[in-house]
Amino acid sequence: MRDPAVGWIAGIIIGGIAGWLAERFMKSDMGLLMNILLGVVGAAIADAILSIFGIVLGGWIGYLIAGFIGACLLIWVFRAIRGRTA
Protein backbone atom coordinates (compact mmCIF):
# COMPACT_ATOMS: atom_id res chain seq x y z
CA MET A 1 0.00 0.00 0.00
CA ARG A 2 1.37 3.37 -0.95
CA ASP A 3 -0.56 5.61 1.46
CA PRO A 4 1.82 7.93 3.32
CA ALA A 5 -0.72 8.32 6.13
CA VAL A 6 -0.09 4.70 7.14
CA GLY A 7 3.49 4.34 8.40
CA TRP A 8 5.45 1.18 9.07
CA ILE A 9 4.40 0.80 12.70
CA ALA A 10 0.75 1.49 11.90
CA GLY A 11 1.03 -0.90 8.95
CA ILE A 12 2.27 -3.66 11.25
CA ILE A 13 -0.50 -3.02 13.78
CA ILE A 14 -3.24 -2.83 11.15
CA GLY A 15 -1.76 -5.86 9.37
CA GLY A 16 -1.90 -7.80 12.62
CA ILE A 17 -5.55 -6.87 13.12
CA ALA A 18 -6.39 -7.75 9.51
CA GLY A 19 -4.56 -11.08 9.84
CA TRP A 20 -6.36 -11.84 13.09
CA LEU A 21 -9.75 -11.04 11.55
CA ALA A 22 -8.95 -13.24 8.54
CA GLU A 23 -7.82 -16.02 10.89
CA ARG A 24 -11.17 -15.89 12.69
CA PHE A 25 -13.17 -15.63 9.45
CA MET A 26 -11.36 -18.54 7.78
CA LYS A 27 -11.39 -20.59 11.02
CA SER A 28 -7.66 -21.22 11.07
CA ASP A 29 -5.22 -21.32 13.97
CA MET A 30 -2.10 -19.18 13.60
CA GLY A 31 0.08 -17.12 15.88
CA LEU A 32 0.59 -13.39 16.22
CA LEU A 33 3.62 -13.24 13.94
CA MET A 34 1.83 -15.15 11.18
CA ASN A 35 -1.23 -12.89 11.54
CA ILE A 36 0.96 -9.81 11.08
CA LEU A 37 2.70 -11.38 8.10
CA LEU A 38 -0.61 -12.42 6.52
CA GLY A 39 -2.10 -8.96 7.02
CA VAL A 40 0.86 -7.00 5.66
CA VAL A 41 1.60 -9.29 2.70
CA GLY A 42 -2.11 -9.75 2.08
CA ALA A 43 -2.62 -5.99 1.94
CA ALA A 44 0.11 -5.66 -0.70
CA ILE A 45 -1.33 -8.51 -2.77
CA ALA A 46 -4.93 -7.28 -2.47
CA ASP A 47 -3.82 -3.74 -3.35
CA ALA A 48 -2.15 -5.02 -6.52
CA ILE A 49 -5.18 -7.11 -7.50
CA LEU A 50 -7.68 -4.34 -6.76
CA SER A 51 -5.61 -1.75 -8.66
CA ILE A 52 -5.94 -3.91 -11.79
CA PHE A 53 -9.69 -3.32 -11.54
CA GLY A 54 -9.23 0.38 -10.82
CA ILE A 55 -10.16 0.13 -7.14
CA VAL A 56 -7.95 2.13 -4.80
CA LEU A 57 -8.32 1.85 -1.03
CA GLY A 58 -6.60 4.49 1.07
CA GLY A 59 -6.00 5.27 4.71
CA TRP A 60 -6.17 3.03 7.72
CA ILE A 61 -9.58 1.55 6.91
CA GLY A 62 -8.54 0.83 3.33
CA TYR A 63 -5.37 -0.87 4.55
CA LEU A 64 -7.43 -2.96 6.97
CA ILE A 65 -9.90 -3.99 4.25
CA ALA A 66 -7.13 -4.82 1.78
CA GLY A 67 -5.22 -6.71 4.48
CA PHE A 68 -8.30 -8.74 5.39
CA ILE A 69 -9.08 -9.60 1.76
CA GLY A 70 -5.46 -10.49 1.00
CA ALA A 71 -4.99 -12.53 4.17
CA CYS A 72 -8.15 -14.54 3.45
CA LEU A 73 -6.86 -15.11 -0.07
CA LEU A 74 -3.47 -16.28 1.22
CA ILE A 75 -5.06 -18.68 3.73
CA TRP A 76 -7.27 -20.09 0.97
CA VAL A 77 -4.29 -20.57 -1.40
CA PHE A 78 -2.24 -22.20 1.36
CA ARG A 79 -5.06 -24.62 2.13
CA ALA A 80 -5.48 -25.45 -1.57
CA ILE A 81 -1.76 -26.19 -2.01
CA ARG A 82 -1.44 -28.09 1.26
CA GLY A 83 -4.51 -30.21 0.42
CA ARG A 84 -2.93 -31.36 -2.85
CA THR A 85 0.46 -32.28 -1.42
CA ALA A 86 -0.78 -33.93 1.77
Side-chain angles (χ1 to χ4, degrees), residues 7 32 46-47 50 67:
L32 176 65
D47 182 49
L50 291 173

Side-chain angles (χ1 to χ4, degrees), residues 34-58:
M34 192 60 160
N35 285 341
I36 293 170
L37 185 66
L38 280 172
V40 172
V41 173
I45 290 171
D47 182 49
I49 292 170
L50 291 173
S51 68
I52 291 171
F53 297 105
I55 301 170
V56 178
L57 300 173

Side-chain angles (χ1 to χ4, degrees), residues 64-82:
L64 181 65
I65 292 168
F68 174 75
I69 292 169
C72 287
L73 183 64
L74 287 174
I75 292 171
W76 178 77
V77 167
F78 177 74
R79 286 180 179 170
I81 292 171
R82 186 184 62 184

